[in-house]
Amino acid sequence: MKKTLAILLATSSLLATTAAAQSLDLEKEDLTLGFIKLTDMAPLAVAYELRYFEDEGLFVTLEAQANWKVLLDGVISGELDGAHMLAGQPLAATIGYGTEAHIITPFSMGLNGNAITVSNEIWDEMKPNVPLMEDGRPQHPISASALAPVVENHLDRGEPFNMGMVFPVSNHNYEIRYWLAAGGLEPGFYSEQDISGQIGADVLLSVTPPPQMPSTMEAGTIFGYAVGEPWNQQAVFKGIGVPVITDYDMWKNNPEKVFGITAEFAEDYPNTTIALTKALIRATIWLDENDNANREEAVQMLARPEYVGADAEVIANSMTGFFEFEKGDVRPAPDFNVFFRYNATYPFYSDAIWYLTQMRRWGQIAETMSDEWYFETAADVYRPDIYLEAARLLVGEGLANEADFPWDSDGFKAATPAEDIIDAIPYDGRAPNAYIDSLPIGLKSGQTVIDGEIQG
């Protein structure tokens, strides 16, 4: 691990130093980038609308995609040059879970930004199990243990308990699984024979595209879902559901989406890749600068039909530092969407490793892998060398502050302390197998799922 990371970081330092004195000779100028209609696609919209792409000599077309699979397939086929992606997508593709392709990310698109919402009917059943504050409002964060008796009642009546998430390797799948397991509920396993993810599950999770989440819940197909904004706040505004927990309250400043390109694209168009990364970094700086002073303007951009296409009022609820749970229960949430501060855009290896541990925990990675495998896979996909080269150029141009970038990072964040995670189990990316084995529900070292049973 140390040798691999030392080589990468030494290369990063050299490239960052030499590139500052050179102008970029772009290998490809006309680009098509994909996104899903979520507020965390904001860096793409901002980079386009404020002409940061054009400043880099890039002529970009932004295209909304129907769902995450269509988006991934578009990047792999070359129809899209890059895209706003689920963090699990480049990792899963690179290790061959689903469609195999070497996808990399030079840029993380932010922190936090998701929530879990349940229907009004389920909330009414949960609420007696939720502690109240002195003013009578629910105490947050709300544990899935409040949902457990509701699920048990459904199962006792022979009724399946269905919830939605957006993609099998999505942040949302791993977050809702984490929340359910922390509350004592089984979210189910994957196996090589059964990729439903529902083996042994108390709660049956299935895929629904983000914009369709509220209507699918309203139709009664699912009782709740995990999704990014604005589709949790949309349920509140429509009066059909109640968000019960944000991912910030599950894991403070958890990693979120990434910008994904093929490794081939990065190799064939290295200067174009750096230019893209520069424009996206500038967009995230703008989104967070002066205590989020530009967020109202960003909301107006995102509300347009070519981007998110939801009411500005709905988008503003979370983007401007607040979050509404029950109707009228609006609470401060200044870090619900973080785009740049806290080194949000740096592609940390430890973020990649967390996603890989969750793939292993639930059986998407069938066998136990060595710690070194996690380190090498993370370094194969997450590319801080490209990120730092872009950042160094921006600093040299006076467009970014040197102090805002983690130049000396080894690619690993400090371990997340127990008090920042809902189940009080700390996470250290330097010890992936020890972390997996510390989680009460989920596969452990030496275990695998065969014929619907955990073995080993």
Side-chain angles (χ1 to χ4, degrees), residues 185-251:
L185 289 165
E186 292 277 358
F189 293 95
Y190 297 83
S191 74
E192 292 179 339
Q193 301 81 22
D194 183 350
I195 59 171
S196 70
Q198 298 180 352
I199 298 169
D202 297 323
V203 175
L204 302 180
L205 299 173
S206 59
V207 171
T208 300
Q212 296 174 27
M213 287 290 191
S215 59
T216 304
M217 183 175 72
E218 188 174 18
T221 306
I222 53 177
F223 296 123
Y225 52 75
V227 76
E229 282 307 306
W231 309 116
N232 297 287
Q233 294 298 274
Q234 183 84 318
V236 179
F237 274 72
K238 290 182 70 175
I240 61 171
V242 176
V244 290
I245 190 167
T246 67
D247 60 347
Y248 178 89
D249 286 333
M250 253 186 285
W251 177 12

Side-chain angles (χ1 to χ4, degrees), residues 19 35 42 46 78 86 127 194 212 222 258 288 297 324 398 403 414 420 435 439:
F35 68 93
V46 169
L86 300 161
K127 201 168 180 180
D194 183 350
Q212 296 174 27
I222 53 177
V258 299
D288 276 8
E297 186 177 346
E324 190 166 12
D420 285 353
Y435 171 67
L439 298 164

Side-chain angles (χ1 to χ4, degrees), residues 72 85-105 169 174 258 348-357 359 365 373-374 376-382:
L72 177 63
M85 281 190 181
L86 300 161
Q89 286 185 301
L91 294 162
T94 298
I95 66 174
Y97 185 77
T99 305
E100 185 169 3
H102 189 186
I103 308 290
I104 68 160
T105 178
V169 296
Y174 303 130
V258 299
F348 284 98
Y349 301 136
S350 49
D351 291 348
I353 290 168
W354 186 81
Y355 286 106
L356 292 168
T357 66
M359 292 179 193
I365 297 173
W373 178 87
Y374 286 93
E376 291 174 355
T377 302
D380 202 27
V381 175
Y382 277 45

Side-chain angles (χ1 to χ4, degrees), residues 10-21 385 388-393 407:
T11 302
S12 158
S13 176
L14 176 62
L15 290 172
T17 301
T18 57
D385 55 315
L388 290 178
E389 186 170 358
R392 179 58 69 193
L393 287 171
W407 307 104

Side-chain angles (χ1 to χ4, degrees), residues 299-374:
V299 165
Q300 296 305 316
M301 288 182 199
L302 295 174
R304 287 158 45 182
E306 64 265 37
Y307 295 130
V308 178
D311 291 343
E313 185 181 8
V314 176
I315 297 171
N317 240 25
S318 58
M319 275 285 282
T320 57
F322 296 92
F323 197 82
E324 190 166 12
F325 292 94
E326 287 184 288
K327 189 67 175 174
D329 183 6
V330 179
R331 306 192 187 196
D335 285 341
F336 181 85
N337 281 117
V338 173
F339 292 101
F340 184 72
R341 58 185 176 272
Y342 316 138
N343 296 317
T345 53
Y346 184 96
F348 284 98
Y349 301 136
S350 49
D351 291 348
I353 290 168
W354 186 81
Y355 286 106
L356 292 168
T357 66
Q358 300 311 294
M359 292 179 193
R360 169 61 190 145
R361 181 184 186 184
W362 304 117
Q364 291 173 330
I365 297 173
E367 305 289 342
T368 299
M369 310 302 283
S370 68
D371 283 355
E372 189 66 28
W373 178 87
Y374 286 93

